[in-house]
Amino acid sequence: MSELETYKIDLKGMKEDQMALEYDLDDQFFASLDGAQLEHGALHVSVSIRKTAGLFELLLHTVGTVTVICDLCLDDMQQPIDTENRLLVKLGAETDMENDELITVSEDKGVLDLAWFIYEFIVLAIPIKHVHAPGKCNHVMTQKLEELSAARSSDEAEEVDPRWSVLKTLNIKD
């Protein structure tokens, strides 16, 4: 049995109107997904499924941390994740995952693979900018970054194209 089989939900065979599922995600979850950018994390996912007339409403609550690279010092950092997401699913003739509002699962199979949705919700919860808390970045790397930034700005100040320096002598009066 594949690691991701536990994330497949048989909607067609659901007997009750409500169901709750719990998942604990670790590095093995991220390794099992093909093409996943995240590799490390420890998260807990609570899934609540409510069956209504023709629709299934899934509420997902994800809490934990993932490992991302700091944009400043390039060291690994723990990024906290706490997100709630809603997914609407209906059974239909063909599987359609293109609609952001409503997912259609083939009525013949009636199985929703939740693994990639969970992964995408986690990725969307990560801020665009990944930076350690002040004072927590790698001191050697930040010092080197400051040295290179200072050297670069002083080089730019010294080098002025002679064609532009002529413009400095012009005094434009109205």
Side-chain angles (χ1 to χ4, degrees):
M1 184 167 125
S2 168
E3 166 70 24
L4 299 178
E5 286 294 318
T6 58
Y7 301 98
K8 291 186 179 180
I9 302 171
D10 184 10
L11 297 174
K12 193 174 180 180
M14 196 169 141
K15 304 283 188 236
E16 303 170 15
D17 290 341
Q18 291 191 11
M19 186 167 75
L21 301 169
E22 304 281 328
Y23 299 109
D24 288 315
L25 310 181
D26 56 9
D27 295 349
Q28 189 174 0
F29 170 78
F30 297 109
S32 298
L33 291 172
D34 291 333
Q37 297 171 345
L38 292 174
E39 295 178 2
H40 305 289
L43 300 121
H44 179 77
V45 181
S46 302
V47 181
S48 172
I49 305 171
R50 190 173 60 127
K51 181 179 176 181
T52 60
L55 282 177
F56 297 89
E57 180 184 33
L58 286 80
L59 300 175
L60 294 90
H61 182 233
T62 307
V63 178
T65 59
V66 292
T67 304
V68 295
I69 296 174
C70 177
D71 292 338
L72 290 178
C73 69
L74 302 178
D75 278 355
D76 286 345
M77 64 174 274
Q78 296 299 312
Q79 178 66 52
I81 301 291
D82 188 355
T83 183
E84 293 191 20
N85 303 94
R86 180 174 175 243
L87 191 62
L88 291 176
V89 181
K90 74 173 186 174
L91 299 177
E94 295 180 9
T95 300
D96 179 19
M97 306 263 180
E98 297 299 319
N99 188 342
D100 291 339
E101 298 293 321
L102 182 65
I103 305 299
T104 305
V105 174
S106 171
E107 196 166 2
D108 295 340
K109 295 181 182 175
V111 176
L112 174 68
D113 187 355
L114 200 57
W116 195 256
F117 290 107
I118 292 172
Y119 174 77
E120 286 183 348
F121 290 146
I122 293 167
V123 170
L124 289 172
I126 298 173
I128 292 173
K129 189 174 181 180
H130 317 127
V131 181
H132 282 105
K136 300 291 183 185
C137 272
N138 182 331
H139 298 294
V140 174
M141 184 63 89
T142 54
Q143 183 179 9
K144 188 67 172 174
L145 182 62
E146 288 173 11
E147 289 172 12
L148 293 173
S149 295
R152 184 172 159 212
S153 63
S154 65
D155 289 345
E156 290 174 2
E158 292 174 9
E159 296 177 21
V160 176
D161 190 335
R163 294 174 290 183
W164 295 108
S165 62
V166 173
L167 293 175
K168 289 181 181 179
T169 61
L170 295 177
N171 190 3
I172 300 174
K173 295 182 183 180
D174 290 277

